[in-house]
Amino acid sequence: MSLTVRSFLNLLKATPVTSNTVRIVCGNESADLDSVTSAISYAYFRFVENSKDAQPIIPIINITKDDLKLRRDIIHVLNDVNIDEDLLFFLDDVKQWQESNKTIEAVLVDHNEVVNEVKKYITKVVGVVDHHKDMGLYLDASPRIIQVCGSCTSLVYNYFVNEILPKSYQPGHDVTQLCLAAGLVDTTNFSHRVEHADSISKELYSKYAPDIDMDKYTKIIKNAKNDISGFTARDLLRKDYKQFEFSNTKGVHEGKLIMGISSIVKPMGWLYEEFGGRQGFKEECIRYREEKDIDILTIMTSFVQNGKFQRQMTLIPSDEVKSLAKDMISNIEEYLKLEKPDVGVMGNTSGTLVNDEEFQQYEQQNIEASRKQVAPSLEMAFQDL
Ligand SMILES: [Mn+2]
């Protein structure tokens, strides 16, 4: 009987950190299913590889504990493998270690550049496993695996099962299920964004968790993810939020721009209905932008309506950057196929978008571009001003 992920996490919780150096493995700040399961499985596999390590590497979820309740897909998958939130480690824990003057060495999974809050705590990046664009940092990290593919868990799972652990090793059902769950969601049951690494991991998942009906499980997780009943507007804005710092080194707009992007899985019209109409929701957004103290809050909605997958984009700039936001849009409207809503005109799919300076709204016809593409394109749009 192999060690369960649950008993591994129990053991971590029962082992106080006594050394001066804490080693962590940390997912990205969106703390989506991929980040969470990549971090947990990386730490688990490392421990399996070397259980004699006095100070095992600790998986970190890059949000505060309080924010986990917004991610029902993650809670669902963790429950499926018998893990509850009290067994997890969060940003709060990292902060505490830093305050007690510990050196914090980090392996990054599902991102390859440390940004924002966690940056204050991490002393050194010692390893990277990621599926985003390579930022060219931490060149002496080991491992340093950066390969574009559907899910980061594919890279973590393949690395340990095929390369690091002995040939005779058979990964347990629970760790396999964790990685598979993220793979299913990130690739919509291995039908989108599938690269070689994902295909290899899929084979392994079928071998070590043959009982899981992949199609059914994808739907179950997506339903849990899309279940946002009972959430407030602020909950929805912070649920899947990423923050970026853009810099422009030339031209009239030389300087920095802080951009926050919230992804929401409902159309704007739905948000208006839930949260006091267009004006009511707009005020919530402005409040959130002020709370985060950023220049522009962008909301990217994605949803299926009339059998069609659709995206909308709304920029909520602070007073100082209203016209700059417009200029940025004109730099990328072609690429993202942004269309201004025609208010009241039949055929406008949403019927609810209105473009004003404080709340710049567009239909995004380039539905292939998710935040992963939109964020760098906004950055380029800013740099090209
Ligand atoms: Mn990912």
Side-chain angles (χ1 to χ4, degrees):
M1 188 64 197
S2 61
L3 174 80
T4 63
V5 179
R6 182 190 165 81
S7 10
F8 163 65
L9 293 172
N10 255 323
L11 189 117
L12 286 185
K13 282 285 175 184
T15 316
V17 177
T18 48
S19 61
N20 282 327
T21 301
V22 193
R23 294 189 305 143
I24 63 171
V25 51
C26 185
N28 74 43
E29 61 174 343
S30 79
D32 63 1
L33 183 63
D34 192 29
S35 270
V36 171
T37 55
S38 290
I40 295 174
S41 56
Y42 187 100
Y44 170 82
F45 281 131
R46 269 287 176 241
F47 184 76
V48 169
E49 183 202 357
N50 184 6
S51 58
K52 288 180 188 65
D53 221 332
Q55 190 68 68
I57 188 163
I58 300 171
I60 299 295
I61 302 177
N62 198 347
I63 46 174
T64 58
K65 189 177 180 189
D66 185 46
D67 274 1
L68 187 69
K69 66 171 193 295
L70 303 174
R71 293 157 172 80
R72 290 177 174 157
D73 52 336
I74 299 179
I75 292 174
H76 194 287
V77 169
L78 292 176
N79 277 339
D80 286 345
V81 297
N82 213 4
I83 297 170
D84 56 75
E85 61 181 282
D86 292 331
L87 289 177
L88 305 173
F89 296 84
F90 296 90
L91 212 47
D92 326 64
D93 298 288
V94 189
K95 191 175 173 195
Q96 255 182 31
W97 293 322
Q98 196 245 11
E99 280 166 0
S100 51
N101 289 320
K102 305 241 182 241
T103 299
I104 299 171
E105 290 186 353
V107 173
L108 309 183
V109 287
D110 205 18
H111 62 316
N112 65 79
E113 179 179 14
V114 185
V115 292
N116 298 330
E117 188 173 354
V118 75
K119 199 172 182 172
K120 290 185 277 195
Y121 312 139
I122 291 177
T123 321
K124 190 172 185 232
V125 172
V126 295
V128 181
V129 182
D130 185 30
H131 66 139
H132 293 82
K133 186 177 151 234
D134 191 342
M135 305 304 282
L137 303 167
Y138 326 117
L139 295 175
D140 54 355
S142 169
R144 190 179 187 286
I145 302 166
I146 303 177
Q147 211 176 303
V148 172
C149 63
S151 179
C152 184
T153 54
S154 300
L155 300 173
V156 173
Y157 197 82
N158 298 348
Y159 171 65
F160 283 102
V161 175
N162 278 345
E163 287 179 44
I164 294 298
L165 293 162
K167 285 268 171 291
S168 60
Y169 173 73
Q170 301 210 341
H173 193 280
D174 54 357
V175 71
T176 303
Q177 183 164 356
L178 283 179
C179 291
L180 166 63
L184 289 175
V185 171
D186 284 346
T187 64
T188 319
N189 190 11
F190 297 97
S191 64
H192 285 85
R193 292 199 275 263
V194 176
E195 300 292 337
H196 186 57
D198 304 303
S199 309
I200 291 176
S201 66
K202 187 191 175 191
E203 291 280 302
L204 294 169
Y205 299 148
S206 308
K207 187 170 167 194
Y208 295 113
D211 58 310
I212 296 177
D213 179 331
M214 294 197 187
D215 188 46
K216 211 163 135 195
Y217 203 38
T218 309
K219 286 182 182 132
I220 289 172
I221 303 167
K222 289 215 165 170
N223 282 339
K225 184 175 184 172
N226 293 344
D227 174 14
I228 53 179
S229 52
F231 286 159
T232 64
R234 182 173 171 275
D235 283 344
L236 288 180
L237 290 169
R238 70 196 176 104
K239 181 175 165 0
D240 187 358
Y241 173 84
K242 271 193 184 177
Q243 194 168 303
F244 304 87
E245 187 179 300
F246 301 157
S247 48
N248 184 332
T249 50
K250 53 172 204 310
V252 261
H253 294 293
E254 191 176 331
K256 288 196 188 314
L257 183 88
I258 311 288
M259 168 76 74
I261 307 182
S262 299
S263 294
I264 299 182
V265 292
K266 292 281 183 189
M268 277 302 196
W270 186 93
L271 296 166
Y272 298 164
E273 257 167 49
E274 287 287 302
F275 305 113
R278 183 177 188 273
Q279 190 58 30
F281 184 63
K282 179 173 159 180
E283 281 163 17
E284 294 277 4
C285 294
I286 292 174
R287 243 196 306 281
Y288 189 66
R289 187 196 66 218
E290 287 167 352
E291 176 192 327
K292 300 303 280 187
D293 195 20
I294 55 178
D295 298 305
I296 302 177
L297 172 66
T298 294
I299 299 175
M300 291 184 63
T301 60
S302 59
F303 51 93
V304 176
Q305 210 168 49
N306 309 324
K308 218 177 106 202
F309 181 76
Q310 301 180 39
R311 290 185 183 278
Q312 301 163 323
M313 186 167 154
T314 301
L315 267 63
I316 305 125
S318 68
D319 283 345
E320 298 77 49
V321 294
K322 273 183 198 161
S323 70
L324 182 135
K326 270 192 181 166
D327 295 343
M328 283 170 68
I329 288 296
S330 56
N331 277 349
I332 49 169
E333 61 188 346
E334 202 172 316
Y335 163 59
L336 294 177
K337 301 200 176 80
L338 298 178
E339 284 179 15
K340 269 195 192 162
D342 307 320
V343 188
V345 174
M346 293 284 282
N348 173 12
T349 49
S350 63
T352 44
L353 302 189
V354 182
N355 198 309
D356 72 51
E357 283 216 308
E358 288 183 310
F359 214 56
Q360 303 178 15
Q361 304 199 291
Y362 304 90
E363 307 280 356
Q364 183 189 316
Q365 307 288 4
N366 177 355
I367 53 166
E368 292 299 314
S370 67
R371 182 169 55 196
K372 212 173 276 168
Q373 289 79 36
V374 169
S377 78
L378 282 166
E379 178 168 31
M380 239 142 55
F382 176 61
Q383 289 167 342
D384 286 347
L385 289 178

